[in-house]
Amino acid sequence: MTIRVLVVDDSGFFRRRVSEIINADGRMEVVGDAANGREAVELNESLKPDVITMDYEMPVMDGITAVRTIMQQRPVPILMFSSLTFEGARVTLDALDAGALDFLSKNFDAIAKGTAEVRKALTNKIAAVAKNQTRVMPAASSRPAAPKPIGKTDLVMIGTSTGGPAALQTLFKTLSAGFKTPIVIIQHMPGSFTKAFAERLNAMSPLTVKEAEEGDLLKPGHVYVAPGGMQLMVDKRNGGSIHIHESDQRVNYRPSVDIAFASAAKHFGRNTLGVVLTGMGSDGKEGARLLKQAGSTIWAQDEESSVIFGMPLAVIKEGISDEVLALKDVGPRLSKDVG
């Protein structure tokens, strides 16, 4: 079935180029475009698109207000265009809080040239968020019959992608103030976003949350967000520490859940809890496999509470997950079983 897209941006040039890229993909078509948020709200009601691409800075009604209004009146998957700046990160995180599902870099030059990489990134994102309304539940047999007891845990590793910012905010609001085990988050994000995201989590969590830096010690009650554009690894030096490395450009994800999980498997082994939350693709599956082989416990988010079920499903289908949990249960279970 063709994915029907509404393109929203105050730049006529940008709307045209984005529309051309979308219409060139056989899976989707542009059914309308809007120059501001108010038009977007109205066209969402009349055209009933499957996906909306949304700019932030627009006259009459800005993108975030439009997202909130759309989510109240006729919810639909929304892909935000974002500038890769610190302020752009704040705005994009506000949009995700308002209900947008994902974001994509707004690069006028790249869109104008319409490179294969840009076309693929845009159309694949649209296809992924469109699936949010047509997900398939995993077979009941993929869910373990009973919880696996968790032994001594020295480190919690959480991997996530699409839908992760909202999911992590929900999780950290429910963690107990007395939670002591260090947590490392690997969230697929640009380098300019992770510091702003860490600050946002820190403001709402009883724990201390920061963007991870080279040499950080894994301290009780502290949470470390892997910096975007880099690779994070952990080891046992100085009682447990973090190391940040330049990423090989051939690695698809920067940071990569697989790489971070693999380092935890090597250095912390069975004393690690690996958690795979909502996200596109299968990053984390191989890292979770290594953790499992080392004796670790693996949790995966369930389909119903995931924005995109790709990453958790990849772990579940491989038979790696020990438990499949609703998002609302992850924080309380961490507080109860790990602490």
Side-chain angles (χ1 to χ4, degrees), residues 258-331:
D258 280 332
I259 289 173
F261 276 22
S263 70
K266 178 179 180 180
H267 294 281
F268 289 86
R270 67 173 61 250
N271 296 326
T272 307
L273 170 64
V275 183
V276 180
L277 301 180
T278 174
M280 191 189 311
S282 61
D283 185 30
K285 181 181 73 173
E286 295 307 319
R289 188 195 308 279
L290 292 173
L291 280 171
K292 184 78 170 180
Q293 290 172 353
S296 301
T297 299
I298 305 295
W299 291 352
Q301 186 175 346
D302 70 359
E303 190 274 346
E304 187 175 0
S305 64
S306 294
V307 169
I308 301 291
F309 195 41
M311 286 170 56
L313 180 60
V315 171
I316 294 167
K317 288 178 70 173
E318 289 294 310
I320 302 168
S321 61
D322 294 290
E323 288 197 63
V324 180
L325 299 172
L327 178 62
K328 67 179 178 63
D329 296 328
V330 177

Side-chain angles (χ1 to χ4, degrees), residues 113-254:
K113 294 175 182 176
T115 64
E117 182 179 3
V118 167
R119 292 197 302 270
K120 181 179 178 182
L122 173 59
T123 55
N124 283 352
K125 286 268 191 180
I126 290 172
V129 299
K131 292 178 181 177
N132 186 58
Q133 295 180 326
T134 57
R135 296 171 297 184
V136 179
M137 283 292 288
S141 60
S142 68
R143 295 174 178 266
K148 172 186 173 182
I150 299 175
K152 181 177 182 292
T153 304
D154 294 331
L155 179 63
V156 176
M157 301 286 288
I158 301 176
T160 184
S161 182
T162 309
L168 288 166
Q169 289 179 69
T170 297
L171 189 162
F172 279 90
K173 285 177 182 176
T174 60
L175 272 181
S176 65
F179 192 88
K180 297 300 183 185
T181 306
I183 299 175
V184 174
I185 295 170
I186 307 92
Q187 162 76 58
H188 294 164
M189 268 186 175
S192 56
F193 277 44
T194 42
K195 182 176 175 59
F197 182 53
E199 290 179 357
R200 182 168 297 224
L201 285 181
N202 186 62
M204 65 178 56
S205 170
L207 308 182
T208 300
V209 185
K210 70 183 294 288
E211 183 182 48
E213 299 176 82
E214 170 62 27
D216 274 343
L217 300 182
L218 295 170
K219 299 178 182 178
H222 283 61
V223 181
Y224 306 87
V225 178
M230 307 290 282
Q231 297 298 351
L232 178 148
M233 301 178 76
V234 295
D235 67 28
K236 279 291 189 75
R237 280 179 281 181
N238 300 312
S241 56
I242 287 174
H243 301 282
I244 309 299
H245 304 275
E246 292 285 345
S247 181
D248 187 320
Q249 295 303 304
R250 293 171 295 181
V251 179
N252 287 334
Y253 301 108
R254 301 183 288 274

